[in-house]
Amino acid sequence: MKRILFIVGLITSIAGNSAAQQPDTVRSDVRDDLERALEDFDPEDSEFNTEQFTQFLLELSANPVNINADGVDELMQVPGINLKQARSIIDYRKNLKPFESIDELQEVPGIGRVTLERVHPYVTVGTGAELSKVYTDPRYWTSGGKFEVYSRYQQKLQKQEGYIRPDSTGFLGNPVKYYQRLRYRSNHISANLTQEKDAGEPLDRPTEFDYNSWHLAITENGKLQQLVVGDYNLSFGQGLVLWNGGAFGKGREVTGTVAKSERGIKPYTSSMEANYFRGIAATYGNKIRITGFYSDQSRSASVVNGDTTRFPSDDGMHRTLNEVAKKGSLNQTMYGGRFRAEFPFGFVGGSGYYASFDKHIFQGSAIYNQYDFSGNNTSALGIDYKLLLGPALLFGEAARTQNGGYGMIAGVESTITDDTELTVAYRKYQKNFQAVYGAGFGEQSGEPQNEEGIYVGFRHEISSRIQVSAYFDQFRFPAPRFGTHQPTQGYDWLGLIGVDLNEDLQFYIQGRSEIKDDEYEMVDSFGRKQRKLGRSHRASLRTHFEYWVTPAIRLRNRVEVVQSHPAGASREYGYLLYQDIRYKPNRQWTFDARITMFETESYGSRVYQFENDLLYVFSNSVLYDQGQRLYFLLNYEPFEFAEIWAKFGITVFENKQVLGSGLNEIEGNRRSDLGVQVRFVF
């Protein structure tokens, strides 16, 4: 521990001694802003996969929305801009003047300093010039065009048990995780090929990647808003019927995130091997838009017997003989559509689909599976709206699935004063609501099912330098959920105060607490095991400082304490402390390093931290037991068309000599990883 503290002090000392020697650099780097956005996400649910959402943010920053030219739908893609603000931006540029800088957004009603900081990396004022729509002119199709090539290598450096055992019982391939992507994109067309081999998967020839994803797309071509052949995402309404691609959930951004802004059809480029559709999809129209789609794809599922499987899995791992046997074991066919009309007061839309499988889907035999989907086909229909009523934005969706289950969410976002925002939302997803392709807002990530709750979020600027925000969410589960045999309920809250002491020094203090019912086992006086219902409590307190020593050097420090009190067990604590540094001596080089110390009594008192990583890689580390973690990240841009990333991380545990279990087991107390990525843009 003393050695770790010495390293922290040394890093801080070097930064301070270098401060006077480094030239000024542009501080509002896109990566800094994206880092803030992902810190706001800060998921406590480690199972929630955010890769697609991360990629959406990064691609939006690389192709920002033009506030002088783009319409309502494009503006609403920007995190922090809702329907009311999008309409106000359009009114401003039409009735007053075009925007000359992004900072002018603060002159638009409903957009303050906090909103401006959040949207800054995703918008541009553009040039105002656009080529005429002569579809036979090659310049129309290639305007804004660029060709991107990505290649990524990642590997855990310690040997895992799966690579020691023979192929018949262990991993079939080597420990390298490899990813590559080729993409051409212009203002109106997109073509992409993504390939990936996970660690442990075999790759005998360059054409035999375990995962291949591709698309050809036409975008914003008159009334043809989108046409995709190949792989694509669908995100409609409030997500109760169709939504993939990730979204903000409960977290530090307490207002403006409950109401989803639909993305419609999006060409798929992610390396996630599920949660997308393969076929053809198109959207046509302006004020009135019609969408249709068809998908036919093979999925990986566990085979129960010859003609029965589980619902398709999302992990995409095919490393062992058993995992390979699941690959392509189920065929999924799906078609559907959407209708949406835009009015002066908002949007009204409807979505639906029908999906069939070539094998029977078995719901599972556990008590919490009793209301899950079972059968050969399913369908869903939903109606959604976003309406303006004075200073308020009303939003909601109601949907029904083939078995008769329904779900609904309704809410309002409003400015109370120029400095105060409020969000209130009510949701009810029946226990038999089987929206298997949905992702509604709620306590549980993923499919909206078996949940009822009411959420209240509040944000207020006390002054230009002090902001407070909080949310409270009361929820209940009408049927058993994973780990329980009866209905349960609970609530959680978050409170945060942020202070900008000056332009170079900011900090925030955050408190978070969740109390909910959980079951536990106890032995009675006769030696019989009994299941009891009790209350579990998890709470955390965090302080976070960010200090720009110079425009080239940023220091950040975080201290977090977690208290976990599971039902029927004793209270325990977890601690996290980290110090990191970002050093950017010029436009070409960026260096990040962090040392983290953590100590928890068990997984129940685990701690979380977001880490900077290779481009399009999201790292939300879950840390427990006792140890330290250190990582270094280097980003080098030798030419305008080339960029290189390299990351090394190591975690050392002080109280363990074996890490992981099964095929993932590592002998020793160290786990280290290496990643390298290059990108070329022409």
Side-chain angles (χ1 to χ4, degrees), residues 647-677:
K647 181 179 180 180
F648 172 77
I650 181 169
T651 307
V652 180
F653 294 86
E654 296 183 357
N655 58 342
K656 301 180 76 172
Q657 291 302 317
V658 177
L659 306 179
S661 60
L663 297 180
N664 296 313
E665 184 177 286
I666 296 173
E667 289 287 342
N669 70 334
R670 296 169 182 263
R671 182 166 54 222
S672 52
D673 48 271
L674 177 67
V676 179
Q677 178 171 288

Side-chain angles (χ1 to χ4, degrees), residues 319-565:
R319 304 164 299 175
T320 66
L321 291 176
N322 287 336
E323 290 175 349
V324 170
K326 299 177 185 179
K327 186 175 181 179
S329 59
L330 181 69
N331 185 261
Q332 170 189 297
T333 302
M334 183 173 174
Y335 59 84
R338 174 164 175 78
F339 171 87
R340 199 200 70 183
E342 180 180 353
F343 303 97
F345 52 83
F347 299 99
V348 177
S351 309
Y353 66 81
Y354 175 85
S356 62
F357 305 91
D358 68 343
K359 292 183 176 66
H360 181 85
I361 303 296
F362 174 60
Q363 64 186 175
S365 56
I367 189 170
Y368 61 85
N369 294 134
Q370 62 183 310
Y371 297 105
D372 291 349
F373 166 67
S374 176
N376 289 86
N377 57 75
T378 184
S379 62
L381 288 170
I383 298 174
D384 59 90
Y385 62 88
K386 271 194 172 183
L387 307 174
L388 294 174
L389 184 64
L393 170 66
L394 280 63
F395 62 91
E397 183 172 12
R400 184 180 186 275
T401 52
Q402 180 175 282
N403 66 327
Y406 74 84
M408 61 84 65
I409 184 170
V412 57
E413 294 179 356
S414 183
T415 53
I416 308 302
T417 67
D418 290 342
D419 301 320
T420 307
E421 297 177 3
L422 179 69
T423 294
V424 180
Y426 170 75
R427 63 194 184 273
K428 184 174 183 179
Y429 312 136
Q430 280 191 324
K431 56 190 176 185
N432 62 334
F433 181 53
Q434 297 173 351
V436 293
Y437 302 105
F441 176 83
E443 169 66 12
Q444 301 180 115
S445 62
E447 179 184 344
Q449 184 186 31
N450 185 34
E451 184 175 335
E452 182 179 10
I454 185 165
Y455 173 95
V456 179
F458 169 86
R459 184 173 71 185
H460 176 67
E461 291 190 43
I462 297 176
S463 69
S464 61
R465 296 188 181 277
I466 303 175
Q467 309 88 40
V468 295
S469 55
Y471 78 71
F472 180 85
D473 188 39
Q474 178 92 38
F475 50 84
R476 73 181 188 94
F477 309 111
R481 57 187 175 86
F482 179 78
T484 68
H485 292 69
Q486 57 190 304
T488 53
Q489 61 183 346
Y491 64 88
D492 74 318
W493 59 264
L494 178 147
L496 182 146
I497 179 167
V499 180
D500 299 338
L501 292 176
N502 54 50
E503 198 174 287
D504 299 315
L505 179 60
Q506 301 89 36
F507 76 89
Y508 70 82
I509 301 174
Q510 173 185 294
R512 196 169 190 168
S513 175
E514 181 177 61
I515 297 176
K516 62 183 178 183
D517 295 335
D518 265 326
E519 290 183 359
Y520 64 97
E521 280 192 350
M522 65 167 292
V523 179
D524 65 14
S525 57
F526 298 99
R528 297 171 301 187
K529 288 185 177 180
Q530 294 185 342
R531 296 186 68 88
K532 296 287 187 179
L533 186 67
R535 282 283 174 119
S536 66
H537 182 203
R538 179 178 167 85
S540 62
L541 180 64
R542 172 192 298 176
T543 62
H544 182 97
F545 286 83
E546 183 171 311
Y547 175 45
W548 287 91
V549 181
T550 74
I553 300 174
R554 184 200 66 186
L555 300 177
R556 292 198 309 180
N557 172 270
R558 175 176 296 182
V559 178
E560 186 160 9
V561 180
V562 173
Q563 175 190 275
S564 176
H565 194 178

